[in-house]
Amino acid sequence: MTRRLEKSQSRVQRSALSPPPEFVGDPIVWAAWLYYEERMTQEEVADRLGVSRASVVNFLQEARDRGIVTIAVASEHLQSVRVSRELCKRFGLKSCVVIPDDGGRLPDYERIGRAGGRLLTEILEPSDILGVSWGRTVLALSASLPAVHLPGVSVVQIAGSAIGTAEFSPELCTTNIANRLGARCVNLYAPGIVSRPEVKKLFMQEPTLVEQFKLIRSCSKVLFGVAGVGRASTALRSGYMTPEKIRPYVQGGAVGVMSGRFFDRDGKPVLGPLDEQMIGLTLREIARSPERICIAGGPDKVEAIGGMLAGGYATILVTDETTAQALMTRH
């Protein structure tokens, strides 16, 4: 009885494994075609062939062993990986995400923001305190961030607010990210720049701000963008600063600005009158955070990003391939 059953099953399997003529009678080729070319799942291939899913796994492995299928990573992605590793080595980064160029189909800041959002959801821990700065790329990240449920995370604003366009609003960046994460949101309800140094001193003595800054300075991760100091700079377009206000910094050697703070090509802070009027974390305070994620790119920011990296302000960088190549040439 058992032998008759085995023979019957064998006949059914041979019938199920009769490939169409174009596969020259080879079920291995048939399985490979269905899986790799027609994009069927392994389960769907198993149903079509009339075999178990385990058999399909074996067929696909044999297809690779026999050279029927060859798998290779696209060269443009390998190039991005090489550049990424070189940047990590040169600047002591923990990791670096370099996105391949897309021929100008989408703005750099949108593509970098999306990549940064995917990375952020991968590295956030359930009890993290995430400090968020502002900028066009940070806003793009906040708008495209995949929705996840991290109620134990706190998202805090690390630079004061500005009367500018909604596009560059620090509190909007923080709120968007907190909403996408289902996290606690802590906005910094104070101006980014006040009128006089003595006004800043009064603000910083307020009990509410004293408590908020205790939280802000305890961030386990900080997310920020970088801007240049030219007329097209995000800092100027945001309404956060004016050409007259930043002129002393440029004259002092500043090449970039992050979270409202200026630095030179070696990453050293460049101080000026505004520093006594700014409410938010300083460069040195940002650098104390264990993990610092910079999302920035574009040909107009190469010098600024280079200075930021030279100063060791980032542990993780997300940028585009053209910018990454320019950074390697610059250094």
Side-chain angles (χ1 to χ4, degrees):
M1 179 69 177
T2 303
R3 289 180 180 177
R4 280 201 298 271
L5 180 60
E6 288 175 351
K7 287 180 181 179
S8 174
Q9 289 174 336
S10 177
R11 281 196 298 273
V12 170
Q13 189 173 41
R14 282 199 299 273
S15 173
L17 286 176
S18 298
E22 60 267 31
F23 297 108
V24 293
D26 193 338
I28 307 297
V29 179
W30 190 19
W33 175 269
L34 294 175
Y35 184 72
Y36 290 107
E37 293 297 326
E38 296 193 14
R39 303 296 178 90
M40 287 187 177
T41 65
Q42 291 181 0
E43 189 123 1
E44 289 170 335
V45 175
D47 289 342
R48 177 70 70 85
L49 270 61
V51 298
S52 68
R53 187 171 175 275
S55 295
V56 172
V57 172
N58 292 333
F59 288 167
L60 296 177
Q61 182 59 53
E62 188 171 344
R64 290 192 289 272
D65 293 343
R66 286 164 51 183
I68 296 169
V69 172
T70 57
I71 300 173
V73 180
S75 60
E76 62 269 22
H77 292 288
L78 285 177
Q79 176 64 18
S80 297
V81 170
R82 279 192 283 269
V83 174
S84 170
R85 295 205 166 193
E86 183 62 26
L87 285 174
C88 286
K89 182 179 177 181
R90 292 193 186 191
F91 295 106
L93 295 168
K94 177 182 175 182
S95 66
C96 178
V97 176
V98 177
I99 57 173
D101 290 331
D102 73 341
R105 189 175 61 87
L106 289 175
D108 290 334
Y109 70 87
E110 283 192 20
R111 297 170 60 241
I112 294 168
R114 289 179 185 178
R118 290 192 296 272
L119 172 72
L120 190 61
T121 58
E122 292 172 6
I123 65 174
L124 277 174
E125 300 292 337
S127 59
D128 267 335
I129 300 173
L130 174 67
V132 176
S133 185
W134 51 271
R136 188 168 57 176
T137 310
V138 176
L139 186 62
L141 178 151
S142 76
S144 63
L145 186 67
V148 295
H149 188 61
L150 293 171
V153 170
S154 293
V155 183
V156 302
Q157 183 180 329
I158 66 170
S161 303
I163 302 175
T165 62
E167 181 184 3
F168 299 104
S169 164
E171 56 271 28
L172 181 58
C173 294
T174 304
T175 302
N176 282 352
I177 292 172
N179 286 341
R180 299 299 290 174
L181 298 177
R184 173 193 182 198
C185 179
V186 183
N187 287 123
L188 180 55
Y189 293 111
I193 301 177
V194 296
S195 58
R196 300 184 307 279
E198 51 268 32
V199 175
K200 175 184 175 179
K201 289 179 181 177
L202 289 172
F203 259 107
M204 296 303 291
Q205 290 170 5
E206 282 293 318
T208 301
L209 280 187
V210 170
E211 290 304 311
Q212 273 198 292
F213 268 87
K214 286 180 182 177
L215 178 65
I216 292 169
R217 292 187 180 110
S218 67
C219 288
S220 53
K221 292 180 174 66
V222 174
L223 172 71
F224 60 91
V226 170
V229 293
R231 290 195 173 273
S233 167
T234 302
L236 294 178
R237 293 171 54 215
S238 67
Y240 204 77
M241 299 173 183
T242 65
E244 293 72 27
K245 288 180 178 179
I246 74 168
R247 187 170 294 119
Y249 294 92
V250 177
Q251 292 172 345
V255 299
V257 56
M258 50 182 269
S259 198
R261 306 290 179 167
F262 292 86
F263 54 86
D264 64 17
R265 68 186 316 275
D266 297 317
K268 295 177 181 176
V270 177
L271 303 178
L274 286 179
D275 288 274
E276 298 304 316
Q277 300 166 234
M278 287 186 195
I279 295 178
L281 290 185
T282 65
L283 292 177
R284 287 194 173 93
E285 287 173 328
I286 290 173
R288 292 191 191 113
S289 178
E291 202 152 47
R292 306 175 297 279
I293 308 140
C294 174
I295 53 171
D300 58 328
K301 295 185 179 182
V302 172
E303 190 172 23
I305 297 171
M308 180 277 303
L309 291 172
Y313 297 115
T315 58
I316 298 174
L317 174 66
V318 182
T319 191
D320 62 279
E321 188 175 358
T322 300
T323 301
Q325 294 281 12
L327 286 168
M328 295 211 313
T329 301
R330 179 183 183 273
H331 289 267

